Amino acid sequence: MSATLFEASNFLASTVPQPTSNAPTELTGKVNLVLGILAWAGTAAGVCGVLVTGAMMAISVKRGESSEHMSRLGMVLGGCVLVATAGPLVTFVFK
């Protein structure tokens, strides 16, 4: 069964067109610069989010309040994972 699936996937993948890039080099350089800045900004936002969530957790423990900090931390870490994997995911899909 797996050999049949392997052959079918090879047959289907062989007919996928591979277009060439016709974008001007000036444009691609500027787009790469903007994407690089956005990637750094996303990373900085993730680090700030983790720091702020940690500070809120520490203040809540000192005050004796219970809160939903773990869900916030999970959302921040999920956003960090999304920002960190955005580039490789797009490269995997479009190349």
Side-chain angles (χ1 to χ4, degrees), residues 3-18:
T4 305
L5 288 175
F6 179 75
E7 291 299 324
S9 65
N10 281 342
F11 174 74
L12 292 173
S14 67
T15 59
V16 174
Q18 298 293 327

Side-chain angles (χ1 to χ4, degrees), residues 69-83:
H69 295 296
M70 292 309 286
S71 65
R72 280 190 202 151
L73 184 61
M75 289 175 52
V76 168
L77 292 178
C80 291
V81 168
L82 185 62
V83 167

Side-chain angles (χ1 to χ4, degrees), residues 47-91:
V47 170
C48 288
V50 171
L51 290 174
V52 167
T53 303
M56 290 175 68
M57 289 171 79
I59 291 170
S60 292
V61 167
K62 186 171 180 159
R63 290 183 182 172
E65 300 171 352
S66 63
S67 186
E68 297 285 330
H69 295 296
M70 292 309 286
S71 65
R72 280 190 202 151
L73 184 61
M75 289 175 52
V76 168
L77 292 178
C80 291
V81 168
L82 185 62
V83 167
T85 60
L89 282 176
V90 170
T91 302

